[in-house]
């Protein structure tokens, strides 16, 4: 068993997903314009690191995307890679968990080694709470496997070389649950809070989603002329994922009704 762990045969040591060229752009992520403006600096850094090095400035290596589920944290991370034109490596925090001590740490090493081999890359760790929760004197947060995994993550964050332009983005629903060592300056010291889109953002998302419905399948009245303001008003507090699901649900309801040739407001109200 020990030999199998060392070679990565148990659980594997390359569970991360690699996208060489990410097609997602900032314009595809709606409702978080303030955060996108701040992330533009990362894009500029990945495109031309020399611009920051002329003053000797060092860009933070880690950025934390915090917010409730469905607000677009994963999409935003992909957009950073897409706008920068660099590879995107993604893994979920839950994938580091393993009953064998040392497997999680091995996966951390594999993830960062793969990113460094590309010179420029974006690493995205979803659900970082699973491996970087506050360490306590008792309970799961102090297990040997999790201790080794979080310690290896800290080592990798501190081990970046000047020649590598690798940025680490991580997503969490509750940054307050993370270990203070993770949030230390030089690691994940920049936190961006994402919230559900405002009315303007919801209207933009509805307009984009409804435009994907063939025009002849829309009601001739308000829906035909894209009355997205009405839809945005009745969905206050909805996240981007909930809006996307609502539109899909409305399509399902319209499809299931006999003798229905167009989608109407009533379908959206039912949804």
């Amino acid at each position: 068993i020990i030999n199998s762990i060392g070679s990565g045969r148990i659980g594997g040591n390359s569970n991360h997903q690699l996208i060489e060229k990410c097609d997602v752009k900032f314009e595809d992520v709606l409702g978080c314009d303030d955060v996108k403006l701040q992330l533009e600096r990362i894009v500029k850094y990945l495109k031309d690191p020399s611009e920051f090095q002329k003053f000797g400035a060092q860009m933070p290596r880690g950025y934390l995307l915090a917010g409730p589920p469905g607000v677009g944290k994963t999409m935003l991370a992909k957009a950073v890679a897409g706008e920068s034109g660099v590879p995107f490596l993604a893994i979920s925090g839950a994938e580091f968990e393993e009953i064998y001590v040392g497997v999680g740490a091995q996966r951390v090493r594999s993830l960062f080694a793969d990113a460094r081999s590309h010179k420029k890359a974006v690493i995205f760790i979803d659900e970082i709470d699973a491996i970087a929760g506050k360490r306590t004197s008792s309970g799961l947060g102090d297990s040997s496997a999790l201790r080794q995994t979080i310690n290896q993550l800290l080592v990798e964050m501190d081990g970046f070389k000047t020649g590598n332009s690798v940025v680490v983005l991580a997503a969490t629903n509750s940054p307050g649950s993370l270990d203070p060592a993770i949030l230390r300056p030089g690691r994940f010291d920049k936190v961006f809070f994402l919230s559900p889109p405002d009315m303007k953002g919801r209207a933009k998302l509805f307009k984009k989603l409804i435009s994907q419905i063939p025009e002849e399948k829309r009601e001739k009245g308000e829906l035909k002329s894209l009355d997205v303001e009405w839809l945005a008003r009745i969905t206050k507090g909805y996240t981007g994922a909930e809006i996307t699901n609502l539109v899909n649900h409305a399509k399902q309801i319209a499809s299931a009704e006999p003798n229905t040739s167009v989608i109407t407001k009533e379908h959206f109200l039912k949804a």
Side-chain angles (χ1 to χ4, degrees), residues 48-157:
D48 188 8
S50 63
E51 283 294 314
F52 293 83
Q53 293 168 0
K54 63 184 179 182
F55 290 109
Q58 293 184 346
M59 288 292 290
R61 294 299 189 179
Y63 298 83
L64 199 62
L65 303 175
V71 293
K73 298 186 290 293
T74 303
M75 282 281 288
L76 204 54
K78 287 183 177 179
V80 171
E83 293 283 351
S84 307
V86 301
F88 178 78
L89 296 91
I91 193 169
S92 170
E95 294 181 59
F96 288 111
E97 296 183 28
E98 189 71 47
I99 59 173
Y100 301 105
V101 176
V103 173
Q106 174 63 23
R107 288 176 180 166
V108 172
R109 286 192 294 271
S110 173
L111 174 65
F112 279 80
D114 198 357
R116 289 191 183 96
S117 69
H118 290 87
K119 300 298 182 182
K120 291 183 179 182
V122 170
I123 294 175
F124 177 63
I125 304 175
D126 197 8
E127 300 174 352
I128 194 173
D129 322 58
I131 59 168
K134 290 181 179 178
R135 288 171 286 187
T136 60
S137 57
S138 61
L140 185 63
D142 198 44
S143 70
S144 296
L146 288 180
R147 272 205 314 273
Q148 285 196 17
T149 303
I150 189 174
N151 287 338
Q152 187 62 45
L153 178 59
L154 297 177
V155 168
E156 296 292 345
M157 291 292 293

